[in-house]
Amino acid sequence: AFLAHFDHDLSHSCDYRLSNSMPSSTLYAEIAIALPVDGLYTYCIPNKMKLRIGHAVLVPFGNRKISGYVISFTQTSPVAKTRPIERLLDPSPAFDPAMLPFFQWTAKYYLCGLGEVIATALPKSFRAKSIQVYVATEQGIEALANESISHREQAMVLREIIAKPNRTQRGIQRI
């Protein structure tokens, strides 16, 4: 466990703090997932996250993390246990809320998911996307300092990640 995935932060608390961007009683956000799935998914809003309709967010979906779009806010959740939004992908909304009725009409007309419609409608530069990067853990840094890593290749990769953090898997494979 010398490397850690930087984008796996499940420590968000969902204790709600008021935000100027959401109604004062909001606890949850309805998210359209950017996949060919029907319906909206409810996620807990972490306490310091300020959201608006149209924001692109990263959410847990099954055993992976998927981009989605904030469609609405609600005080209640249809399920007992609600997972938190992982992260806001861009401080500016990906689309204007005035476009939402058009996206909803398109999804209904073409029988496809709302998130899929939004992702397709956005220019490539606006589409929510995420990459996985690696950083050295404290345990890995200590092991390298104590020369307790037995495999030469592991030590070499770890040195490179310490020297140039936030490498992708592709960047690590080039080493």
Side-chain angles (χ1 to χ4, degrees), residues 1-3 136-146 148-149 158 162:
F2 299 130
L3 299 177
T137 63
E138 288 299 320
Q139 181 184 3
I141 294 169
E142 287 177 26
L144 190 61
N146 298 332
S148 60
I149 300 176
L158 192 53
I162 291 169

Side-chain angles (χ1 to χ4, degrees), residues 24-35:
S24 61
S25 56
T26 299
L27 295 172
Y28 303 97
E30 299 288 325
I31 306 295
I33 303 297
L35 289 175

Side-chain angles (χ1 to χ4, degrees), residues 72-129:
S72 64
F73 301 106
T74 182
Q75 297 176 29
T76 59
S77 172
V79 294
K81 190 172 185 180
T82 307
R83 297 170 78 181
I85 294 171
E86 288 284 322
R87 156 167 36 134
L88 180 61
L89 294 176
D90 192 329
S92 299
F95 64 89
D96 188 299
M99 292 297 298
L100 194 53
F102 171 70
F103 293 148
Q104 290 168 326
W105 177 87
T106 304
K108 185 176 180 180
Y109 185 83
Y110 289 103
L111 302 174
C112 58
L114 179 58
E116 187 178 25
V117 167
I118 294 169
T120 303
L122 295 175
K124 188 175 181 178
S125 62
F126 283 93
R127 291 187 191 155
K129 56 187 168 191

Side-chain angles (χ1 to χ4, degrees), residues 38-59:
D38 194 26
L40 300 177
Y41 294 83
T42 305
Y43 288 88
C44 173
I45 301 170
N47 59 2
K48 293 185 181 178
M49 189 176 287
K50 296 178 182 178
L51 293 176
R52 291 187 291 185
I53 292 174
H55 266 138
V57 294
L58 187 69
V59 294

